[in-house]
Amino acid sequence: MASVAIDGPAGAGKSTIAKLVAKELQAIYVDTGAMYRAIAVYFLRNQLDPEMSEQVEQACKNIEVSISYENGAQQVWLNGENVTPFLRTEEVGNMASKSSAKQPVRDALLQLQRDMAAKNTVVMDGRDIGTNVLPNAEVKIYLTASSAERARRRYEELKQKGETCDLAQIEADIIKRDEQDMSRAIAPLKQAEDAYYLDSSNLTIAEVVEAILNQCKEKGLWK
Ligand code: DC
């Protein structure tokens, strides 16, 4: 089974792009951030501190995460409950950034991610897919954009939802999240040596998708 790995910082547009690429390739889109977010939901609900190693180890023994697809959309299950509706909040994202730095949390999800790629042609996005989860992926993309542009996109998204937000604060949060995800000791976010670097700051969605499909073409994954 072939794999396309898309890694990059928060807000680079990975999920939007990965979904469109998966559609073209008739592959399954696997959002690994959502899996880390499901574990973060468990930490928040049980008021666990990701800095307390015993709490993290115990939690990981009690957690079972799985995924399924409904009309092509990934659903994430936490101990038998579909937690997909609770994943996309700032609170959950911030906790996921902290708890995903811990080894037991990463160990809890690695096999699930590799199994998905062993059984299906996948477009998988995250932070360590090309470097760690699927080092033999046929196509590896490092998708990024300037923090100012990522903040602007997030600001527009929140504004459209009618939420009040502050652009400077959003950019500060993005920079903090980058720092956390890139500086952690275990599986930090970094560009794989053999990944194709793609800065989407001045590109449209269609242009980014096209650039990735061209990479897939070179590897014989797309005609
Ligand atoms: O992509 P996202 O915002 O949904 O990811 C949430 C957090 O999960 C992110 O800050 C870091 C972590 N994560 C990770 O450590 N490894 C991955 N492969 C995907 C996400």
Side-chain angles (χ1 to χ4, degrees):
M1 293 290 170
S3 305
V4 177
I6 304 182
D7 291 302
K14 296 186 297 296
S15 66
T16 306
I17 301 296
K19 272 182 207 156
L20 293 166
V21 171
K23 204 168 174 191
E24 278 297 322
L25 299 178
Q26 295 186 317
I28 287 181
Y29 165 52
V30 182
D31 174 358
T32 62
M35 300 177 188
Y36 286 100
R37 285 171 182 264
I39 293 188
V41 165
Y42 184 91
F43 273 69
L44 287 166
R45 284 183 180 170
N46 293 283
Q47 295 177 318
L48 301 179
D49 180 353
E51 295 314 318
M52 304 282 283
S53 53
E54 300 98 90
Q55 288 190 13
V56 175
E57 272 169 37
Q58 192 54 45
C60 289
K61 285 186 191 143
N62 296 333
I63 289 174
E64 207 187 291
V65 174
S66 60
I67 63 173
S68 66
Y69 288 84
E70 254 173 44
N71 302 323
Q74 177 180 294
Q75 307 294 311
V76 187
W77 298 75
L78 171 68
N79 295 338
E81 176 192 353
N82 186 346
V83 291
T84 313
F86 312 117
L87 302 181
R88 306 236 54 98
T89 67
E90 290 304 302
E91 188 190 24
V92 170
N94 287 332
M95 176 56 96
S97 180
K98 290 193 189 105
S99 51
S100 65
K102 306 301 168 191
Q103 189 73 59
V105 172
R106 306 206 72 81
D107 292 345
L109 295 176
L110 183 64
Q111 204 51 48
L112 170 62
Q113 294 165 358
R114 287 190 174 155
D115 284 349
M116 286 302 297
K119 293 182 190 139
N120 310 280
T121 294
V122 293
V123 177
M124 189 177 287
D125 78 358
R127 303 293 188 285
D128 64 334
I129 310 307
T131 50
N132 190 44
V133 179
L134 306 175
N136 298 320
E138 281 74 6
V139 175
K140 296 184 186 177
I141 307 290
Y142 189 81
L143 181 63
T144 190
S146 67
S147 58
E149 176 58 19
R150 286 184 282 139
R152 192 194 64 75
R153 292 177 190 168
R154 180 84 185 123
Y155 176 81
E156 292 300 332
E157 195 181 312
L158 289 170
K159 216 169 70 176
Q160 281 205 344
K161 282 192 202 161
E163 292 178 30
T164 47
C165 48
D166 174 48
L167 184 59
Q169 184 58 48
I170 293 173
E171 187 173 358
D173 287 347
I174 281 180
I175 290 169
K176 188 169 154 215
R177 181 95 82 86
D178 286 358
E179 160 69 19
Q180 262 169 210
D181 293 347
M182 290 174 177
S183 68
R184 69 187 181 206
I186 309 161
L189 166 65
K190 64 169 191 240
Q191 185 182 349
E193 269 176 29
D194 50 351
Y196 179 77
Y197 180 88
L198 194 50
D199 184 331
S200 72
S201 303
N202 298 309
L203 299 178
T204 63
I205 290 173
E207 286 169 334
V208 176
V209 170
E210 195 189 342
I212 296 178
L213 288 172
N214 281 335
Q215 292 298 305
C216 295
K217 209 184 224 174
E218 279 184 20
K219 300 285 160 64
L221 300 187
W222 198 67
K223 288 186 188 145

